[in-house]
Amino acid sequence: MKILLRLFGLLHGLMACLFACAALMLIAIAAHMGWLAVVGTWDRAAAQAVIGALGILTVAVVALQIAETIIEEEVIRDADISAPTRVRRFLSRFLVVIVVSLSIEGLVATFKAQEDPIQLMYAASMLVGVGVLLASWGLFIYLNRSAEELEPGAMEDAKREDHKVG
């Protein structure tokens, strides 16, 4: 069984490396797009290219955060995700990145919609979806508090695990 758990740790580490490599590639692509916008004519097309680069950078941030979360939660801490406190912390960490990234992407889509107003519905839908996700996350945290009260020592255990990472 220990061999299987080590194998899972190695696989999680490999996945985290792949996420990090994808993030680095996206950063390079976004930098190239931004550079082309800077050296070209400074017009609406250049602004759209910079906005597109921001969208790509947003995805790169998500990929890096996922890699970091996988490494910290699955490899370093070797966390048991069955405890309510651990579930809340894991999901909260992941959802912070998703909510911020989707919010930025919604703003990028709003700027892109200046050229094509029909795309404004897409941007508005994305931002409404972010609002629903944020509200749902808040409701989850609120409802999860009662489950956490059943395990009073779980938060202290989770905080002790944080010292492994720090």
Side-chain angles (χ1 to χ4, degrees):
M1 188 62 165
K2 285 187 178 189
I3 293 173
L4 189 60
L5 290 176
R6 288 182 196 252
L7 179 63
F8 282 138
L10 287 172
L11 289 174
H12 279 112
L14 176 64
M15 287 188 308
C17 287
L18 291 174
F19 271 109
C21 287
L24 292 174
M25 290 170 50
L26 289 170
I27 290 168
I29 290 168
H32 180 70
M33 287 176 63
W35 177 251
L36 291 177
V38 167
V39 298
T41 58
W42 286 34
D43 56 2
R44 188 177 200 93
Q48 291 296 336
V50 170
I51 291 168
L54 285 175
I56 292 172
L57 282 174
T58 301
V59 176
V61 167
V62 170
L64 278 176
Q65 286 295 324
I66 290 172
E68 182 181 5
T69 300
I70 289 171
I71 289 293
E72 288 181 3
E73 297 292 333
E74 299 295 335
V75 177
I76 295 173
R77 286 189 180 116
D78 193 25
D80 179 21
I81 301 294
S82 63
T85 301
R86 178 55 59 197
V87 170
R88 181 187 52 78
R89 287 176 53 129
F90 183 80
L91 281 176
S92 292
R93 207 173 152 180
F94 181 71
L95 284 174
V96 163
V97 175
I98 297 300
V99 167
V100 169
S101 298
L102 287 176
S103 298
I104 293 170
E105 191 64 31
L107 291 173
V108 168
T110 301
F111 285 118
K112 286 182 179 179
Q114 290 177 355
E115 287 184 359
D116 185 10
I118 293 182
Q119 294 296 320
L120 197 55
M121 287 299 292
Y122 165 74
S125 300
M126 182 179 288
L127 291 172
V128 166
V130 169
V132 169
L133 183 60
L134 189 58
S136 300
W137 176 28
L139 180 64
F140 169 77
I141 289 172
Y142 176 76
L143 295 175
N144 195 30
R145 285 185 333 165
S146 60
E148 287 183 22
E149 290 170 0
L150 297 175
E151 296 179 339
M155 184 56 81
E156 286 77 26
D157 292 342
K159 286 180 182 177
R160 275 194 299 274
E161 288 178 358
D162 289 342
H163 294 296
K164 289 182 182 179
V165 177

